[in-house]
């Protein structure tokens, strides 16, 4: 556990370069190029992290202000994905789940069931938080670990199946995204797109960034869309004119800078991918392999990021109007893009289709969060996690962005409840 915690505490910006440097050497890349590739990956992660943090720190106060301004009184609060990650990494199932995931990945690669080498170790928490909730209910390490492994395998398969389309649409080669938060929602995105294609007036709406830019010129560019959305969110939050303008510029900056940081990371990744491809083709001439990556690489797309921002006030409205919902969207509001990032290619990067999909996904997440709040709160106590200062220890908890808040996580939790 101490070794695992030490590695995790390094964070992706340090952990991933080390992993990629070792991989590059294994694939016979010279030390100099391996170092450059690993550092570019690390710099890319640092840049992405800084910009996402900028977005979260800018949108966090706006989200809190909206909650306060509209006096939303709901009994389950969202403490954010960092708390969910701490729960996932803080229960007794961790050594068994981590070892099981790595071993299972190797076995599935050997059996040719998967093409993905999942080195995205930090995001193992997405699977383990499902196991953590089950452990809090059943007190069984083995049932909880089994659930986490099932969650992992299903998401791994989705990552394989979606990789070709995502690689093509996002211009990313040799990678897949077996991310337990977003992969599970891809089938819903495909289903919604199928329905929209059969509604004449709706299917003809062109709302992808290219069409918007072509139609509106500079007013349709990502930086302008970001600025407009930032200003609107600032107004909804009741900010003064200076804060509204600051938020508009900040969101516009995020829309421009985030894709550039992804480009830096991809430059380093390309060096290793090309070497890996050549090395593996010599030894496995008829096989193709993918490297697992974080969904953060996908939210840089203007359609995904802009729709995620539009979902912030929408999530609050849904929380109020949905009958039976008790979950108040809060800390994770600025991270909603992660929920449907993988759906975007299957929705033609159309913001109208993405927004409709976002509403469906958010509705599911709110009801799931309400239903699992008891187990989530108990798991947080067992893991002894520190809650944000503005959240009471006596409040029931459930987050928006995490494996347990997906239909797959919920289904596994429900099945396991029969053993409680």
């Amino acid at each position: 556990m101490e070794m695992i915690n030490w590695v995790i505490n390094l964070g992706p910006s340090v952990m991933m370069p080390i992993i990629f440097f070792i991989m590059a050497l294994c694939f016979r890349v010279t030390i100099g190029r391996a170092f450059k590739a690993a550092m570019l990956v690390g710099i890319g992660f640092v840049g992405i992290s800084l910009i996402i943090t900028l977005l979260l720190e800018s949108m966090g106060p706006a989200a809190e202000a909206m909650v306060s301004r509209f006096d939303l009184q709901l009994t389950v609060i969202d403490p954010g994905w960092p708390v969910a990650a701490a729960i996932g990494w803080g229960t007794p199932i961790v050594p068994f789940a981590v070892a099981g995931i790595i071993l299972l990945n190797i076995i599935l690669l050997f059996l040719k069931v998967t093409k993905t080498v999942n080195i995205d170790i930090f995001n193992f928490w997405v699977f383990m938080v499902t196991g953590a909730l089950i452990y809090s209910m059943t007190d069984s390490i083995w049932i909880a670990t089994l659930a986490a492994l099932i969650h992992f395998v299903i998401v791994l398969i989705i990552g394989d199946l979606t990789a070709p389309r995502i690689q093509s649409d996002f211009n990313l080669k040799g990678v897949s995204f077996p991310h337990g938060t977003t992969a599970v929602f891809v089938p819903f995105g495909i289903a919604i797109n199928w329905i929209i294609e059969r509604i004449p007036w709706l299917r003809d709406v062109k709302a992808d960034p290219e069409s918007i830019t072509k139609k509106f010129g500079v007013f349709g560019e990502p930086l302008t869309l970001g600025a407009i959305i930032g200003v609107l969110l600032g107004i909804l939050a009741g900010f003064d004119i200076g804060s509204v303008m600051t938020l508009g510029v900040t969101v516009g900056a995020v829309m421009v800078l985030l894709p550039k940081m992804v480009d830096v990371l991809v430059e380093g990744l390309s060096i290793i991918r090309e070497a890996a491809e050549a090395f593996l083709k010599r030894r496995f001439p008829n096989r193709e392999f993918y490297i697992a990556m974080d969904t953060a690489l996908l939210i840089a797309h203007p359609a995904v990021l802009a729709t995620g921002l539009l979902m912030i006030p929408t999530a609050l409205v849904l929380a109020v109007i949905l009958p039976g919902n008790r979950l108040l969207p809060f800390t994770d509001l600025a991270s909603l893009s992660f929920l449907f990032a993988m759906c975007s290619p299957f929705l033609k990067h159309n913001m109208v289709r993405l927004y409709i999909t976002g509403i469906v996904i958010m509705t599911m997440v709110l009801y799931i969060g309400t239903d699992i709040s008891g187990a989530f709160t108990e798991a947080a106590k067992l893991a002894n996690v520190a809650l944000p200062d503005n959240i009471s220890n006596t409040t029931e908890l459930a987050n928006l962005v995490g494996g347990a808040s997906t239909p797959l996580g919920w289904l596994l939790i429900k099945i396991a409840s029969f053993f409680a």
Side-chain angles (χ1 to χ4, degrees):
M1 282 297 297
E2 288 180 4
M3 183 176 292
I4 290 171
N5 287 331
W6 182 83
V7 172
I8 295 304
N9 288 335
L10 291 175
S13 59
V14 177
M15 182 174 64
M16 296 306 285
I18 293 173
I19 292 173
F20 276 105
F21 180 73
I22 294 170
M23 285 182 62
L25 294 180
C26 291
F27 293 136
R28 308 289 177 85
V29 178
T30 62
I31 292 178
R33 278 179 61 79
F35 176 76
K36 179 181 178 180
M39 284 300 295
L40 284 171
V41 169
I43 292 166
F45 268 113
V46 169
I48 291 170
S49 177
L50 286 172
I51 294 168
I52 291 178
T53 299
L54 172 65
L55 177 65
L56 297 180
E57 289 179 349
S58 301
M59 295 309 308
E64 290 181 30
M66 287 184 213
V67 170
S68 175
R69 189 181 186 196
F70 296 108
D71 193 27
L72 302 181
Q73 300 294 327
L74 297 166
T75 58
V76 180
I77 199 163
D78 150 43
W81 70 263
V83 170
I87 293 172
W89 285 109
T91 53
I93 74 166
V94 170
F96 306 99
V98 171
I101 288 171
I102 294 172
L103 180 60
L104 193 54
N105 192 189
I106 293 171
I107 292 171
L108 294 176
L109 284 165
F110 180 77
L111 296 175
K112 300 183 180 180
V113 175
T114 183
K115 300 177 181 178
T116 296
V117 182
N118 196 338
I119 61 170
D120 190 18
I121 297 173
F122 179 80
N123 281 317
F124 284 5
W125 74 264
V126 178
F127 312 115
M128 291 191 295
V129 72
T130 299
L133 267 65
I134 290 172
Y135 176 75
S136 74
M137 297 163 52
T138 63
D139 200 30
S140 170
I141 289 177
W142 307 116
I143 293 174
T145 301
L146 178 62
L149 294 180
I150 292 171
H151 197 157
F152 165 73
V153 171
I154 293 173
V155 168
L156 194 68
I157 292 170
I158 295 174
D160 276 350
L161 294 174
T162 56
R165 180 68 178 271
I166 290 176
Q167 288 177 23
S168 173
D169 278 38
F170 286 92
N171 195 27
L172 296 167
K173 296 180 179 179
V175 298
S176 67
F177 295 86
H179 197 276
T181 296
T182 180
V184 176
F185 291 113
V186 172
F188 295 94
I190 293 172
I192 291 169
N193 189 70
W194 184 88
I195 294 170
I196 290 174
E197 286 291 342
R198 280 147 185 81
I199 303 175
W201 60 271
L202 189 56
R203 73 184 179 205
D204 297 329
V205 175
K206 295 189 181 299
D208 58 281
E210 292 77 13
S211 297
I212 292 174
T213 301
K214 186 176 180 180
K215 184 174 183 178
F216 296 103
V218 68
F219 296 102
E221 291 185 7
L223 64 90
T224 311
L225 286 175
I228 292 171
I229 292 171
V231 167
L232 290 176
L233 292 176
I235 293 171
L236 286 173
F239 287 173
D240 58 56
I241 186 65
S243 298
V244 168
M245 293 172 66
T246 299
L247 187 59
V249 173
T250 300
V251 176
V254 169
M255 296 285 283
V256 173
L257 295 175
L258 192 54
K260 296 186 183 301
M261 291 300 100
V262 171
D263 288 342
V264 173
L265 189 152
V266 170
E267 183 183 350
L269 181 63
S270 296
I271 296 173
I272 298 169
R273 184 195 61 77
E274 290 169 4
E277 188 175 47
F279 180 88
L280 293 170
K281 276 188 175 180
R282 287 196 300 269
R283 286 156 179 78
F284 307 98
N286 299 318
R287 293 201 60 183
E288 182 181 21
F289 294 91
Y290 304 141
I291 297 173
M293 296 300 292
D294 192 305
T295 314
L297 270 70
L298 304 182
I299 70 165
H301 194 283
V304 176
L305 192 53
T307 306
L309 295 171
L310 291 173
M311 282 303 302
I312 292 174
T314 305
L316 294 173
V317 171
L318 287 172
V320 173
I321 67 173
L322 289 175
N325 171 62
R326 296 189 296 116
L327 173 56
L328 172 63
F330 194 56
T331 309
D332 270 344
L333 279 170
S335 303
L336 297 183
S337 298
F338 284 89
L339 292 175
F340 46 78
M342 286 179 66
C343 297
S344 188
F346 304 94
L347 295 160
K348 302 180 178 180
H349 301 296
N350 186 305
M351 289 176 60
V352 171
R353 299 186 186 201
L354 269 169
Y355 185 69
I356 293 170
T357 303
I359 291 173
V360 173
I361 290 174
M362 185 52 52
T363 299
M364 288 190 286
V365 167
L366 289 172
Y367 278 129
I368 289 171
T370 297
D371 189 55
I372 66 173
S373 58
F376 193 101
T377 306
E378 183 61 27
K381 292 177 181 176
L382 287 175
N384 197 29
V385 301
L387 299 178
D389 293 337
N390 51 1
I391 295 177
S392 169
N393 287 321
T394 60
T395 305
E396 277 198 299
L397 307 172
N399 77 307
L400 304 179
V401 180
S405 303
T406 65
L408 175 58
W410 177 81
L411 181 61
L412 290 169
I413 291 167
K414 284 301 171 185
I415 292 172
S417 67
F418 290 108
F419 300 94

